Amino acid sequence: MALKFAVNNSLSAITSLPSGISGGALNLISTQTASASASLEFSLDDSYDSYVFKFINIHPATDNQPFTFQGSTDGGSNYNTTMTNTLFRAYHYENDSGTALQYRDVDQAQGTSFQNITDNIGSDNDQCCSGILQIFNPSSTTFVKHFMFRMAEVNAGDVIVDMHTAGYFNTISAITNLKFQFSSGNIDDGIIKMYGVS
């Protein structure tokens, strides 16, 4: 198979792609803005094989809380889907007193709890988290459902943290809903955008 290239000095001048090159897109489905919200919930269906969530300045009402998520297979009635995952992080203190790259032992092996996707976020105005989640083929009734997070946060200790989480919902039932919340207290402010990947 020959490689095909778009040849032009300015990408803005390209009006169409050569045959054989297809372009993907993020299609905005939903935007939810938190305002002293206990949680934010999203419904998934089989319209897309993959969904992307963007988290923008998620800020807790209660100091020192991790941001968490869980999935539902029954339309959001229960959030207790079995999952296995792993986490690692890099961090750097604002005052330059410490840095590290390390495994985090807040993961689950066949657990059904809400999963931490950040460390403990502070409630100061300069403390929040932002990042991305991608979940793959959530409507499959054949395979498990893989997911990956990448979160940037300023936590309660004035530490910038780059958190990586990956795992899977160990079910062949479709994941119909996702819920995001802090482990305690409300989501004071922040935006979550949900996209379908085409």
Side-chain angles (χ1 to χ4, degrees):
M1 173 176 144
L3 295 176
K4 299 187 179 193
F5 297 95
V7 180
N8 196 301
N9 290 332
S10 172
L11 289 178
S12 63
I14 296 175
T15 57
S16 64
L17 294 172
S19 66
I21 296 178
S22 61
L26 290 181
N27 305 292
L28 181 62
I29 297 168
S30 175
T31 299
Q32 294 191 38
T33 301
S35 179
S37 306
S39 62
L40 294 178
E41 299 180 48
F42 293 83
S43 297
L44 307 174
D45 61 24
D46 62 358
S47 297
Y48 297 94
D49 289 334
S50 179
Y51 290 88
V52 169
F53 293 81
K54 294 187 179 184
F55 306 92
I56 303 163
N57 295 334
I58 307 297
H59 185 261
T62 304
D63 192 44
N64 206 31
Q65 298 300 317
F67 194 48
T68 68
F69 96 116
Q70 181 49 283
S72 172
T73 60
D74 59 10
S77 295
N78 296 285
Y79 285 92
N80 56 3
T81 305
T82 301
M83 71 170 85
T84 295
N85 54 66
T86 187
L87 297 85
F88 73 92
R89 69 178 183 175
Y91 69 79
H92 193 157
Y93 277 84
E94 190 175 278
N95 64 10
D96 204 23
S97 64
T99 62
L101 173 63
Q102 63 186 192
Y103 162 75
R104 290 287 286 135
D105 62 354
V106 292
D107 50 5
Q108 300 185 66
Q110 296 301 93
T112 57
S113 300
F114 272 74
Q115 175 58 47
N116 291 11
I117 54 176
T118 68
D119 280 336
N120 294 332
I121 307 300
S123 61
D124 291 353
N125 286 338
D126 64 346
Q127 298 169 334
C128 63
C129 64
S130 297
I132 296 175
L133 155 68
Q134 187 162 10
I135 184 167
F136 300 91
N137 209 5
S139 296
S140 172
T141 54
T142 303
F143 300 109
V144 300
K145 289 52 169 193
H146 292 93
F147 56 82
M148 298 182 303
F149 282 91
R150 175 106 186 251
M151 300 294 286
E153 64 185 81
V154 178
N155 72 20
D158 288 323
V159 184
I160 179 64
V161 179
D162 180 8
M163 183 76 82
H164 298 252
T165 307
Y168 60 95
F169 289 110
N170 194 6
T171 179
I172 59 169
S173 297
I175 298 293
T176 59
N177 301 76
L178 293 178
K179 180 188 275 190
F180 304 95
Q181 64 187 33
F182 282 101
S183 62
S184 180
N186 288 339
I187 306 170
D188 179 60
D189 197 6
I191 297 168
I192 302 178
K193 292 179 175 285
M194 174 184 172
Y195 300 84
V197 180
S198 60

